[in-house]
Amino acid sequence: MNKKNYKKYVGIFMLLGLVLILTGCSNLNEPITSQSSGFWDHIVLYNFSRFILWLSSLVGNQYGWGIIFFTIIIRMILLPLNWFQIRSMNKQMKVQPEIQALQKKYSAKDQETQQKLREETQKLYSEAGVNPVAGCLPLLIQLPVMFALYQAIYKTAELRNGSFLWMQLGKPDPYYIMAVLAALFTFLSTYMSSYSQPTQNSTTKIMAYVMPIFIFIPALTFPSAITLYWVISNFFQVIQTLVFQNPFKYRREQREKEEREKERQRQIRKAKKRAHKK
């Protein structure tokens, strides 16, 4: 890993560590009020709680709808960042053939060759305007939001004791429907993102099936409000991928492009044969 990427990853882990420390300092048994102290409770959790309650008041104090609206607003705020991520991914897909050529050129496993491969890969990414870390940014922002939502629910009596459809928001879904939907939409969003890549390595394929499991298992015991957030967030991600990337259209265009290239090569070979006969 080069120095630049190393610093980025260190920054990401430091930010996540700070969030974990702040959430750990919050007492779940202490209700949120305007008098709550500390940055996390007074600034983050209190405002999250008030905002969700306000959104709920617009639809007759339906707290589930308040969480749904809250989730959509968060995803809309993240749209510019997601667009930046998608552009970076598209650029990365375009240079994939060149990356594969570099991997063949520097296929030896010794340290010097692998270092050269990393340097050439980073140079290629830099020239193409690719940021390999861009895919982490939306997730990096959503994790603190999820932590804050989790604690805001427990520390706000209206949300903790509120109900929506068949669920009590502060308790797990008794029928596991939200857990199944959260896993399903996670799979669809992950699969569609990987489907748009021209070449899928084993890690990419595995992640498409592992990520839903990572969501499904905790969703069985998490409050319904959290799984509701996951369902809406990942459903939004599926729609966003279809609109901005449309992996199925991309794959079709790639196949058509390959067919045109094959036809062009066939025509060249035929022309060479005719020229040779003459």
Side-chain angles (χ1 to χ4, degrees):
M1 182 184 298
N2 59 51
K3 187 176 181 180
K4 184 178 179 181
N5 282 340
Y6 175 77
K7 290 181 178 179
K8 289 181 179 179
Y9 284 118
V10 169
I12 289 172
F13 285 116
M14 287 180 65
L15 179 58
L16 289 178
L18 177 61
V19 171
L20 290 174
I21 292 172
L22 290 172
T23 56
C25 294
S26 180
N27 185 357
L28 281 177
N29 296 319
E30 183 180 339
I32 300 173
T33 67
S34 58
Q35 305 302 318
S36 297
S37 60
F39 172 81
W40 185 254
D41 279 7
H42 183 67
I43 303 298
V44 180
L45 297 187
Y46 178 73
N47 286 292
F48 267 43
S49 173
R50 294 303 101 185
F51 187 47
I52 294 173
L53 291 176
W54 177 77
L55 290 171
S56 303
S57 70
L58 300 178
V59 286
N61 291 326
Q62 295 291 321
Y63 301 116
W65 282 110
I67 293 172
I68 290 173
F69 293 150
F70 174 82
T71 306
I72 294 174
I73 290 171
I74 292 296
R75 293 303 308 229
M76 292 295 290
I77 292 173
L78 290 176
L79 268 180
L81 190 58
N82 281 304
W83 175 241
F84 172 73
Q85 173 197 8
I86 291 169
R87 286 185 61 187
S88 182
M89 288 177 60
N90 290 338
K91 291 178 182 178
Q92 192 168 354
M93 286 189 291
K94 289 180 180 179
V95 300
Q96 192 64 32
E98 297 174 66
I99 293 295
Q100 292 175 337
L102 286 175
Q103 291 171 344
K104 291 179 180 180
K105 181 178 179 181
Y106 300 104
S107 58
K109 299 301 180 183
D110 60 277
Q111 186 175 354
E112 183 179 351
T113 303
Q114 289 301 300
Q115 178 61 30
K116 186 65 176 176
L117 174 60
R118 286 191 290 270
E119 291 174 356
E120 291 294 324
T121 301
Q122 182 58 36
K123 180 181 178 182
L124 181 60
Y125 279 157
S126 179
E127 292 174 350
V130 175
N131 184 357
V133 190
C136 302
L137 296 178
L139 177 62
L140 183 63
I141 294 176
Q142 286 191 73
L143 282 176
V145 172
M146 189 181 68
F147 289 142
L149 179 61
Y150 181 87
Q151 292 196 331
I153 291 164
Y154 267 107
K155 293 164 73 70
T156 305
E158 296 95 328
L159 296 178
R160 185 175 66 250
N161 299 323
S163 60
F164 181 64
L165 300 177
W166 63 89
M167 302 169 289
Q168 188 169 339
L169 294 174
K171 295 181 179 179
D173 179 0
Y175 304 115
Y176 310 125
I177 295 174
M178 286 292 111
V180 172
L181 290 177
L184 174 63
F185 288 128
T186 299
F187 169 76
L188 289 175
S189 62
T190 308
Y191 176 79
M192 288 170 60
S193 296
S194 63
Y195 187 78
S196 62
Q197 300 179 19
T199 57
Q200 300 181 39
N201 55 37
S202 57
T203 302
T204 304
K205 292 179 180 179
I206 291 173
M207 287 302 293
Y209 295 95
V210 171
M211 282 301 295
I213 297 175
F214 283 159
I215 293 295
F216 177 73
I217 293 176
L220 294 174
T221 57
F222 271 33
S224 298
I226 298 296
T227 53
L228 179 61
Y229 171 83
W230 282 345
V231 168
I232 302 302
S233 183
N234 282 297
F235 176 73
F236 190 98
Q237 180 67 35
V238 170
I239 300 300
Q240 176 184 285
T241 303
L242 283 173
V243 173
F244 288 155
Q245 287 178 284
N246 198 338
F248 307 106
K249 179 182 177 182
Y250 176 82
R251 276 294 185 94
R252 185 177 67 252
E253 290 174 348
Q254 287 297 110
R255 286 195 294 268
E256 291 173 355
K257 182 179 178 181
E258 290 172 1
E259 288 298 323
R260 287 195 299 269
E261 179 61 23
K262 289 179 181 179
E263 180 61 28
R264 190 178 72 87
Q265 293 296 330
R266 282 195 292 267
Q267 294 298 329
I268 291 174
R269 288 193 296 269
K270 288 181 179 179
K272 288 181 178 179
K273 288 181 180 178
R274 287 194 295 266
H276 182 70
K277 290 179 180 179
K278 293 178 180 179

